[in-house]
Amino acid sequence: MERKINKREKECEEKHSNSEGSEQDKDYKTSLITLNVGGYLYITQKQTLTKYPDSFLEGIINGKIMCPFDADGHYFIDRDGLLFRHILNFLRNGELLLPEGFRENQLLAQEADFFQLKVLSDAVKSRWEKEQLASRETTFLEITDSHDRSQGLRIFCNAPDFIAKIKSRIVLVSKSRLDGFPEEFSVSSNIIQFKYFIKSENGTRLVLKEDNTFVCTLETLKFEAIMMALKCGFRLLTSLDCSKGSIVHSDALHFIK
C-alpha cells in the first residue's frame, strides 16, 4: 500500500515538474519578439526592446503605439532594415559601437530620432561632429634626416594610416626569412624613428617589401617615404637645405594634404 502511495506521489511530482517546465518554456518563448524592419527580420528579447521607457519600441511592445503586422504576424516597421542592426546593438550594449569606416552618421541619427532614442541620437551626432572637425584639420607629414647613424630617419605624420602604409612596405630579412616590421624601431601611432639600417652585409638587414633587392639605406627609406607621400596626395610644402642637389639629401621635408 505504501509503495503504491509513493508511486502515485512520484507521478504527481513529475506532472507538476513538467507543468512548471512547460510554463517556463512558454514564458521564455513569449519573451522573444520578432521584428520586421524594412524587410529584415530581427529576433530579440522583450526586455531589450523596452530598455528605454517612452521610446518608440517600448511603446509598441507595451501597446502604447499601434503597429501593423506582416503576413507572418511579426511587427512591421517601415524603416531602414540594415541600419536597425546598430539600433538593436545600442539597446543591447548601452553604448554606440560602430564598425570601422562607418559613414552613415546622418542616416543613423535620423533613425535614432525616429525610434525616440535621444541618448543614441546625441551619441551619433557627437561622433559625426568629431569626424567633420577632424576632416577639416590639415594633414602634415615631416621627413627628417638627423645625419646620426643611431637615429637614422624620422617620419612624423598626423595621419596614422600613412604610418601604417610605410610599415607595410618595410620588412626585416633574417637568413632569407621575412620577419615583418622590425620591433627594434621606435614606433607610435604617428611617428616612426628608423634606426640601424644595415647591421651587416651577410646578416639581418632591412628591405622594401616586394622589392627585396633594395637594401634600406637612409636614402632608400627617405625616397620610399617621399614617393608614398606623393601617391597618397601629399604635396611638398618646404624642403630645407636643398643645396645638396637632390631632394633625397635634404635635411628635412615638410608635406601637407
Side-chain angles (χ1 to χ4, degrees), residues 91-105:
L91 294 175
R92 290 166 174 161
N93 302 316
E95 60 178 321
L96 178 63
L97 299 172
L98 296 173
E100 185 177 350
F102 183 80
R103 290 290 181 270
E104 297 184 300
N105 294 296

Side-chain angles (χ1 to χ4, degrees), residues 5-23:
I5 293 174
N6 289 340
K7 184 177 180 182
R8 188 175 297 172
E9 288 178 350
K10 186 177 180 181
E11 289 175 351
C12 291
E13 287 177 358
E14 288 178 353
K15 287 181 180 180
H16 182 67
S17 176
N18 291 336
S19 176
E20 285 185 347
S22 62
E23 287 296 325

Side-chain angles (χ1 to χ4, degrees), residues 219-255:
E219 291 77 15
T220 304
L221 281 173
K222 186 182 287 187
F223 178 77
E224 180 66 15
I226 293 170
M227 294 304 295
M228 290 190 69
L230 296 175
K231 289 179 181 178
C232 290
F234 286 92
R235 61 185 179 86
L236 182 62
L237 183 65
T238 59
S239 175
L240 303 183
D241 192 10
C242 299
S243 59
K244 298 179 180 179
S246 171
I247 189 173
V248 175
H249 295 98
S250 299
D251 289 336
L253 302 171
H254 295 164
F255 296 81

Side-chain angles (χ1 to χ4, degrees), residues 14 55 66 75 78 91 93 96 107 117 153 195-196 250:
E14 288 178 353
S55 69
M66 297 297 294
Y75 290 107
D78 191 15
L91 294 175
N93 302 316
L96 178 63
L107 288 174
L117 294 167
L153 186 69
K195 302 177 183 179
Y196 316 121
S250 299

Side-chain angles (χ1 to χ4, degrees), residues 53-168:
D54 300 325
S55 69
F56 182 82
L57 293 169
E58 186 271 337
I60 288 177
I61 301 305
N62 290 330
K64 302 175 185 177
I65 299 175
M66 297 297 294
C67 180
F69 296 91
D70 65 11
D72 296 317
H74 307 313
Y75 290 107
F76 177 75
I77 304 174
D78 191 15
R79 301 299 297 184
D80 192 317
L82 287 175
L83 283 179
F84 187 75
R85 163 197 172 196
H86 307 301
I87 301 288
L88 191 55
N89 280 334
F90 174 77
L91 294 175
R92 290 166 174 161
N93 302 316
E95 60 178 321
L96 178 63
L97 299 172
L98 296 173
E100 185 177 350
F102 183 80
R103 290 290 181 270
E104 297 184 300
N105 294 296
Q106 187 174 4
L107 288 174
L108 184 56
Q110 290 179 347
E111 294 302 296
D113 288 337
F114 173 83
F115 287 103
Q116 299 170 22
L117 294 167
K118 187 177 185 305
V119 178
L120 174 58
S121 178
D122 291 343
V124 175
K125 290 174 182 176
S126 176
R127 181 183 187 275
W128 187 17
E129 290 171 357
K130 288 179 180 178
E131 287 185 354
Q132 287 183 318
L133 182 63
S135 65
R136 289 195 293 267
E137 294 178 353
T138 304
T139 304
F140 292 94
L141 167 64
E142 177 185 316
I143 304 175
T144 306
D145 174 8
S146 65
H147 296 289
D148 183 345
R149 280 303 267 197
S150 66
Q151 296 300 317
L153 186 69
R154 180 179 183 272
I155 298 178
F156 169 80
C157 184
N158 62 348
D161 60 330
F162 180 78
I163 297 295
K165 288 180 180 180
I166 291 288
K167 288 171 62 177
S168 69

